[in-house]
Amino acid sequence: MKAEYRKGCLQRDSVEREGYAGVRSIEARESKERDGAKNLMERILDRDNLNRAYKQVKSNHGAPGVDGMTVEAALPWLQEHRDELLQSIREGSYKPSPVRRKEIPKPDGSGVRKLGIPTVVDRVIQQAIAQQLQPIFERIFSDGSYGYRPGRSAQQAIRKVKAYAEQGYGHAAEIDLSKYFDTLNHELLLNLLRKQIQDKRVIDLIKKYLKSGVMENGVRHATEEGSPQGGPLSPLLANIYLNEFDQEMASRGVKIIRYADDIVVLAKSKRAATRLLESSRTYLEKKLKLQMNMQKSKIVSVVAQKHFKFLGFALGKNGNGVYIRVHRQSLAKAKKKLKELTKRSQGRSARQVMEKVKAYIRGWIGYFYVADMKRILQNWNEWLRRRIRMYIWKQWKKQRTKVQNLRKLGVPEWQAYQWGNTRLGYWRIAGSVVLQRSITNGKLVQAGYYDFPAQYERLRQMHSSD
């Protein structure tokens, strides 16, 4: 009996010791995390972190800021002034330069997007901050957020929308925020940062960047709200701000997919989607002090042929179920760009034109490969070959040159003379049997033509298990 009692005590003591050790381990880890949070500035200014930040900024090939300093010129400057720069940041006396305002046309032609380009030095510091803040906030970001996050992409976002559609979420509230990046409330944003960051110096430095101002036509304008697009820190701050909306919707059991400020809230009926649009507006405008664009925010059927659009994609439905499409506006924009690249009046060689076409279409397919568009690309392939043949025919210019080149390509003399002197227009000639048999598909490939449908199929197979 006594032996059993002693054994029980020993077992209890052992369990208590293990429990106590576990508690101490948790306390030690939490203490370490608190200390790490307080020393966040030192991690930001660590040599390796700054070197990594500079390499990232250099790889982005950005334009100079208000001081005119290029990325290449910044390296010797940083090496020479490193100590005094870091000391001023630690002491809190560093003052970021205002950003240089640059306006770029929006892809849909609905106006301009205002970018704020920081100086290279400020871009390096912002990048160093972002590198240390990203892991801290990744732990609290929503699963429905896909923009500007490591390991996440627009392709994953549209696939998730497709998955929800297959589960019966056939309606969406498309939410459009008016000038989102320019209207972030600074105080709200700083309070969100303070919840996760204990190092006051970091908060103060970020506040300085938010308040650094904008230089436009040589005049500095103060920035009382917003985080201008163009700096490395801006996407992360934008995600931190809208994470409040993500988490609110998730707590209500709402299906939401967000890529930066592109947002779709999904529902199983039009009525439910309408309620969600209104409740989303209430939260975004009252809690986050943002403005919803009610002209562009709307309720749509997710698989409707014309209405639903997200990140350039759309969804469709056939006998095999729901599938991803390229939205018709995205297709029209790409076709227009390819026409511009193959215009006959450029003065470039056909090889140069084909190289530019290749660079554009590789990037385009690299983005849209998740969409079903095999037949579209096959049609584009035939159309582009004809455009290139037309370009080559135009470059031959003189009738004698046309006759000579056709003969070199194996066309009989009588036929080469007949076609070399034809009065038919360029587009009709480009589709003729004579040019298809002389400037063959094989010869175009040898000259640099890019067989992009094959690349599309390779990408589809490569990512089929994603």
Side-chain angles (χ1 to χ4, degrees):
M1 187 75 178
K2 288 180 179 178
E4 288 177 4
Y5 175 75
R6 283 197 299 272
K7 184 180 178 184
C9 289
L10 288 171
Q11 287 176 336
R12 189 171 68 247
D13 289 347
S14 175
V15 170
E16 286 175 351
R17 280 197 301 273
E18 287 177 8
Y20 180 62
V23 170
R24 288 192 64 184
S25 175
I26 292 169
E27 288 176 346
R29 186 170 68 250
E30 289 178 346
S31 175
K32 186 177 180 181
E33 286 178 358
R34 284 195 299 271
D35 291 342
K38 289 176 182 176
N39 292 320
L40 180 59
M41 182 63 85
E42 298 309 318
R43 299 209 306 274
I44 290 168
L45 300 181
D46 176 75
R47 181 185 290 273
D48 289 342
N49 189 55
L50 287 170
N51 286 342
R52 190 155 55 95
Y54 175 78
K55 288 176 182 176
Q56 183 60 49
V57 169
K58 186 179 179 183
S59 70
N60 291 336
H61 306 292
V66 293
D67 61 356
M69 187 185 290
T70 63
V71 176
E72 292 73 23
L75 183 59
W77 188 94
L78 286 166
Q79 289 169 338
E80 183 180 349
H81 299 90
R82 179 181 177 277
D83 292 340
E84 59 191 88
L85 174 65
L86 299 189
Q87 188 61 29
S88 68
I89 294 172
R90 287 191 184 96
E91 292 174 348
S93 59
Y94 179 74
K95 289 184 179 180
S97 300
V99 299
R100 179 170 66 86
R101 176 68 81 204
K102 183 178 181 182
E103 295 183 349
I104 59 169
K106 288 186 177 179
D108 59 2
S110 62
V112 296
R113 177 174 286 119
K114 292 184 177 182
L115 296 183
I117 303 173
T119 64
V120 177
V121 172
D122 282 326
R123 290 210 294 275
V124 172
I125 298 168
Q126 284 193 33
Q127 179 65 33
I129 296 169
Q131 286 169 184
Q132 292 301 316
L133 260 56
Q134 188 82 44
I136 294 171
F137 285 93
E138 274 297 314
R139 297 188 301 232
I140 64 169
F141 281 161
S142 165
D143 282 342
S145 167
Y146 289 87
Y148 307 116
R149 293 183 61 191
R152 293 189 160 231
S153 65
Q155 294 77 23
Q156 291 173 337
I158 191 63
R159 279 176 166 164
K160 192 64 178 178
V161 176
K162 174 179 176 280
Y164 281 139
E166 290 169 338
Q167 294 169 27
Y169 291 88
H171 289 80
E174 291 184 346
I175 294 174
D176 186 276
L177 296 173
S178 299
K179 300 177 181 178
Y180 170 59
F181 283 86
D182 294 327
T183 57
L184 299 184
N185 182 279
H186 287 175
E187 200 51 47
L188 272 176
L189 176 56
L190 291 168
N191 285 337
L192 292 173
L193 291 170
R194 289 183 186 107
K195 288 181 181 179
Q196 304 297 326
I197 299 171
Q198 278 73 51
D199 194 329
K200 186 177 179 296
R201 296 172 299 172
V202 177
I203 300 291
D204 290 343
L205 181 57
I206 293 173
K207 184 176 181 179
K208 285 181 180 179
Y209 276 115
L210 292 172
K211 303 288 187 185
S212 63
V214 173
M215 191 71 78
E216 202 165 8
N217 299 321
V219 180
R220 183 186 179 278
H221 301 278
T223 44
E224 297 303 325
E225 61 179 9
S227 176
Q229 289 175 273
L233 195 53
S234 187
L236 176 59
L237 296 180
N239 267 341
I240 291 168
Y241 200 88
L242 273 180
N243 184 56
E244 295 299 291
F245 177 66
D246 298 341
Q247 300 296 348
E248 176 64 21
M249 293 295 107
S251 70
R252 300 180 192 178
V254 176
K255 307 299 183 189
I256 173 175
I257 304 295
R258 182 176 66 79
Y259 192 97
D261 58 337
D262 284 303
I263 307 168
V264 288
V265 182
L266 296 150
K268 291 189 174 181
S269 69
K270 185 176 181 179
R271 191 174 178 180
T274 303
R275 286 199 306 268
L276 286 172
L277 181 62
E278 193 51 43
S279 62
S280 296
R281 181 185 182 184
T282 300
Y283 187 88
L284 289 164
E285 294 190 350
K286 290 188 177 178
K287 295 285 188 179
L288 295 183
K289 299 183 180 181
L290 298 170
Q291 187 65 43
M292 191 188 290
N293 185 336
M294 293 310 295
Q295 289 183 324
K296 293 185 177 180
S297 299
K298 57 187 182 293
I299 306 301
V300 295
S301 168
V302 173
V303 293
Q305 290 292 314
K306 294 182 179 179
H307 302 300
F308 178 72
K309 181 185 178 186
F310 185 52
L311 305 176
F313 294 96
L315 296 181
K317 194 172 185 179
N318 56 23
N320 297 321
V322 179
Y323 64 94
I324 300 171
R325 302 183 297 118
V326 181
H327 193 275
R328 58 194 175 87
Q329 290 179 2
S330 303
L331 288 171
K333 180 186 170 189
K335 193 87 176 275
K336 182 181 178 183
K337 179 66 176 178
L338 290 170
K339 277 185 177 179
E340 289 173 3
L341 290 173
T342 53
K343 276 196 304 188
R344 301 194 304 269
S345 56
Q346 294 183 65
R348 294 191 181 98
S349 71
R351 287 178 184 271
Q352 288 174 317
V353 169
M354 286 190 283
E355 193 59 38
K356 285 191 171 292
V357 168
K358 177 181 179 180
Y360 174 76
I361 211 159
R362 278 184 75 169
W364 193 86
I365 291 175
Y367 181 83
F368 284 108
Y369 71 88
V370 295
D372 291 329
M373 53 177 175
K374 184 177 180 180
R375 188 176 298 175
I376 289 170
L377 292 186
Q378 286 171 344
N379 291 336
W380 279 14
N381 207 22
E382 293 176 16
W383 171 77
L384 258 180
R385 286 192 188 116
R386 189 169 175 178
R387 295 276 300 179
I388 296 297
R389 288 188 179 103
M390 182 174 67
Y391 192 92
I392 291 169
W393 185 255
K394 170 83 170 10
Q395 283 210 317
W396 287 350
K397 292 182 180 177
K398 295 180 180 179
Q399 292 174 335
R400 186 175 63 183
T401 307
K402 291 172 182 175
V403 173
Q404 289 175 345
N405 287 335
L406 286 172
R407 289 190 62 189
K408 286 178 185 176
L409 291 168
V411 177
E413 185 176 351
W414 67 270
Q415 201 171 23
Y417 182 82
Q418 181 182 3
W419 280 90
N421 289 278
T422 184
R423 294 183 178 276
L424 291 176
Y426 290 114
W427 184 245
R428 285 189 65 186
I429 287 287
S432 70
V433 174
V434 171
L435 279 201
Q436 287 180 29
R437 288 181 179 174
S438 54
I439 307 174
T440 64
N441 292 348
K443 284 187 171 69
L444 285 176
V445 169
Q446 287 175 358
Y449 183 79
Y450 181 50
D451 188 14
F452 51 89
Q455 172 66 8
Y456 167 71
E457 292 296 334
R458 282 194 294 271
L459 278 172
R460 295 277 287 181
Q461 291 173 10
M462 189 187 308
H463 295 279
S464 59
S465 59
D466 288 1

